[in-house]
Amino acid sequence: MAKTTFETNPISLNTLLSNCETGKLQLPDFQRSWVWEEERIMSLIASVSRGFPMGALMTLKSNIDVGIMFAYRSIEGAPDIAKMAHPEQLLLDGQQRMTSLYQSCVRRHVVTTITAKKRLVKRWFYIDILKALNSDADRDSAIFVVSEDRKIKENFDKDIKLDLSTPELEYEQLMYPLNQAFNWDTWQEEFGDYWITKGQPDKREIFKQFKNEVLKNFAEYQVPVIALGADTSHEAVCLVFEKVNTGGKALDAFELLTAMYAAQGHKLRDDWLGKEDSTDSAEKLGLQKRLALFGRAAGQNQGVLANVASTDFLQTIALLHTKEMRLAAMADPNKKESDLPAVRATRQSLLDLPLEAYKKYRDTVEKGFERAAKFLRQQQIHRVVDMPYQSQLVPLAAVFADIGEKAEHGTNIEKIARWYWCGVFGELYGSAAESRFAKDIVEVVDWLDGGSEPTTVRDGVMRSDRLLTMRSRLSAAYKGVHALLMREGAKDFRSGQDFDQTVFFDEAVDVHHIFPKAWCETHNLPWGDYDSIVNKTPLSYRTNRIIGGAAPSKYLQKLEQGKAGSNGQIIEPPILPKVLDGFLESHCIPVNALRSDDFHGFIKARQAALLGLIFRVTGKEFENITQVTEEGEDLPSNLAHDNGLDLVETD
């Protein structure tokens, strides 16, 4: 990163607020709205009135000659002249303080703020002159607010406790309006005339003392200002802004790019959130909504892309853009490997993303996410909550965007599926995966064209004992087993239906215990054993209700017998034992162990069966394979052969 230049100078508060009013000091457009509560504003005013420090400001110099780095906007409440001006400085840190002081102490309009309970209110700010002059009184107690009509009421607004609705009432009760804090001459003169008329000219001495001891603190107040140079990089601005705004929501690259693109005339936020006044339906919805709605099942509010973030979308574009740059550089015979630009999906690559590149890839990347959603449905992943890794969507969408129509070929989909499941069961996309994204967009596409296996496929190895520790549905591999069972043909115990998208939603399919939790607790089985994914499988809501808390041998018998109503009408048809066994085997369930309520034999055999299932989709051997079947217990028939496991007996 290039060195950042800056200078620190004290600047009078009066000058800073004047610059807010004229537009010389404005906000970069990524700054959020002013939201300070009335109590915080009063506390800040109290500090300034005593000359106490309120902290430094940080600004970024603008260079009009080379173009403004970011779009900008004036301080909230500033006049139209400020909105038309070109700023000399952009305020990075201090928006809330400067806006609060400008609105309450300079602007001649009522201040719209919020209470401690976040209720929107309109307030005028005042200082009690006598309390402010009382050295024994807390200065905070001298600062107060009144409502828009300049009255304080009580008894459900029936009684007026304090009325400041005219200047004469302010003079009478020695209450000074703070929006005159920097310009007191007229108020002082009229205050004096009022008390002379009243025959009490000595009251002028009170205001004179107030001016010298309190108001001059406003006029003479100096604020330290750290001014960053106009050559400060986007990355440095972003990092600095986050460092000085630790109390708020972190600034992400989307917000910074929004301000950068706006300076070039493009409204990125309209692309993402939609343009309300557009006559084009897609443009009106915006990318975020279009992705969220894409591929949703009937009756569902959103599809599997509902949690795609703006930065996910930008990362995908950055992958394609930086890959294109690298390939172009590689075509130059004079370029050395060390000189080639890297393929990246880091925040810096987003901040470096040119507007032209964004526009070039925007529609292609949207199609890439749509193809990713179709792919996830093929893998029996239908809901956001069931997606193993949200982050893996970025390279997945990038690959689909890059290969275009090649995504229609079955061989390519098989390879992409293998890459995807290796990532899931290797648990490779948990955090700081940007470097893996960069490898994926290059290596997976090359693999589809006949190249070597991607790094993710080579790295995606799962330990055999990992299955026994998967107990939380937040685990990527846990979700992976759930989806994989449905993908590989698991059938509902009761109906025998495959879990396609329609059945999944219509029958409220979810992951449930095979040996019921209640039964396991009754038999004092350790929670860690019975709550692992090895003892869980996808079932419809109705089937799970039939299972209840009974022993497997009991609920299987119930399923086989069926159920008839009081009038003899069949409610649940009986199921032949052999047919039911087939349903169970489709879940990689060892039938003999389940029918005999042999929990420990079941766990060992199903662990091996699930490992075989995972081997089939990843092609990966497992580390430390020790857990296997009991003697005489066969694997389910669909996994009895070619599962890639060497099974040995254990105690």
Side-chain angles (χ1 to χ4, degrees), residues 495-513:
S495 66
Q497 292 178 301
D498 290 328
F499 296 117
D500 60 19
Q501 178 169 299
T502 302
V503 171
F504 182 86
F505 286 108
D506 287 351
E507 301 296 330
V509 175
D510 207 342
V511 63
H512 296 289
H513 291 85

Side-chain angles (χ1 to χ4, degrees), residues 503-573:
V503 171
F504 182 86
F505 286 108
D506 287 351
E507 301 296 330
V509 175
D510 207 342
V511 63
H512 296 289
H513 291 85
I514 301 171
F515 275 77
K517 180 179 178 181
W519 184 89
C520 293
E521 290 176 346
T522 300
H523 288 74
N524 297 318
L525 294 172
W527 167 81
D529 291 347
Y530 72 71
D531 210 46
S532 77
I533 192 63
V534 180
N535 186 39
K536 294 176 183 177
T537 207
L539 294 172
S540 70
Y541 172 80
R542 185 173 177 84
T543 299
N544 189 54
R545 289 293 299 273
I546 291 174
I547 287 174
S553 60
K554 298 297 183 184
Y555 72 67
L556 293 176
Q557 185 179 30
K558 187 188 299 185
L559 289 169
E560 289 170 354
Q561 292 174 347
K563 183 178 181 181
S566 57
N567 58 0
Q569 183 180 4
I570 295 177
I571 298 175
E572 294 287 347

Side-chain angles (χ1 to χ4, degrees), residues 118 242 252 273 280 389 435 438 461 477 479 482 509 555 573 609 624:
K118 310 303 180 187
E242 289 185 351
D252 63 31
L273 298 177
D280 181 272
Y389 283 118
S435 60
V461 178
K479 297 177 184 180
H482 174 47
V509 175
Y555 72 67
N624 299 339

Side-chain angles (χ1 to χ4, degrees), residues 105-159:
C105 299
V106 176
R107 191 167 175 259
R108 297 294 194 266
H109 299 280
V110 69
V111 180
T112 300
T113 181
I114 55 175
T115 66
K117 294 183 178 180
K118 310 303 180 187
R119 184 170 63 89
L120 199 66
V121 291
K122 293 182 182 294
R123 297 289 193 242
W124 296 102
F125 289 78
Y126 277 84
I127 184 166
D128 185 319
I129 294 175
L130 294 181
K131 282 187 178 179
L133 293 176
N134 184 354
S135 59
D136 294 329
D138 181 8
R139 179 60 56 84
D140 285 57
S141 68
I143 314 297
F144 66 97
V145 293
V146 298
S147 57
E148 189 173 12
D149 62 2
R150 296 185 188 262
K151 297 175 183 178
I152 295 178
K153 302 173 185 177
E154 57 188 10
N155 192 22
F156 301 100
D157 290 346
K158 294 177 182 178
D159 302 326

Side-chain angles (χ1 to χ4, degrees), residues 178-389:
L178 275 160
N179 61 6
Q180 311 266 354
F182 294 92
N183 186 18
W184 58 74
D185 289 342
T186 300
W187 198 92
Q188 179 183 15
E189 183 178 341
E190 293 178 354
F191 174 86
D193 292 345
Y194 174 83
W195 286 109
I196 289 172
T197 302
K198 288 282 187 178
Q200 301 181 54
D202 57 310
K203 287 288 179 79
R204 292 179 299 175
E205 293 302 314
I206 295 176
F207 186 81
K208 185 176 181 180
Q209 182 186 0
F210 173 71
K211 180 177 67 174
N212 291 331
E213 294 184 14
V214 178
L215 293 183
K216 280 192 175 180
N217 285 330
F218 287 90
E220 298 173 358
Y221 197 94
Q222 298 287 307
V223 183
V225 178
I226 303 169
L228 302 182
D231 58 348
T232 304
S233 70
H234 295 146
E235 181 188 20
V237 171
C238 190
L239 291 174
V240 166
F241 183 81
E242 289 185 351
K243 294 293 185 184
V244 299
N245 285 273
T246 54
K249 178 177 176 288
L251 179 71
D252 63 31
F254 175 81
E255 293 169 301
L256 202 59
L257 273 182
T258 295
M260 290 160 55
Y261 288 173
Q264 301 173 58
H266 185 82
K267 296 182 178 180
L268 181 60
R269 192 172 282 111
D270 284 354
D271 282 0
W272 184 247
L273 298 177
K275 194 174 181 181
E276 283 295 326
D277 57 355
S278 176
T279 56
D280 181 272
S281 58
E283 192 178 71
K284 189 170 185 175
L285 278 178
L287 278 165
Q288 184 183 48
K289 192 71 171 179
R290 293 201 301 271
L291 292 175
L293 296 177
F294 182 81
R296 58 178 176 161
Q300 299 301 305
N301 294 326
Q302 57 190 24
V304 75
L305 299 179
N307 280 4
V308 173
S310 56
T311 47
D312 296 335
F313 196 86
L314 293 172
Q315 273 189 307
T316 309
I317 291 178
L319 286 172
L320 297 177
H321 170 61
T322 54
K323 180 182 178 182
E324 179 187 40
M325 291 177 62
R326 182 175 177 84
L327 291 176
M330 290 172 65
D332 184 349
N334 297 319
K335 288 279 188 181
K336 299 178 181 179
E337 177 67 27
S338 58
D339 297 331
L340 296 177
V343 179
R344 299 181 299 160
T346 60
R347 182 170 66 174
Q348 181 58 44
S349 67
L350 270 58
L351 301 180
D352 292 339
L353 187 64
L355 177 58
E356 295 74 19
Y358 165 78
K359 289 180 176 179
K360 176 180 180 179
Y361 287 109
R362 175 184 54 199
D363 295 341
T364 302
V365 166
E366 183 177 3
K367 294 295 182 186
F369 274 100
E370 290 175 353
R371 288 192 178 103
K374 294 177 182 178
F375 169 83
L376 291 172
R377 288 205 302 270
Q378 292 171 347
Q379 309 306 309
Q380 297 299 326
I381 299 170
H382 304 294
R383 302 179 301 183
V384 170
V385 70
D386 295 321
M387 193 183 307
Y389 283 118

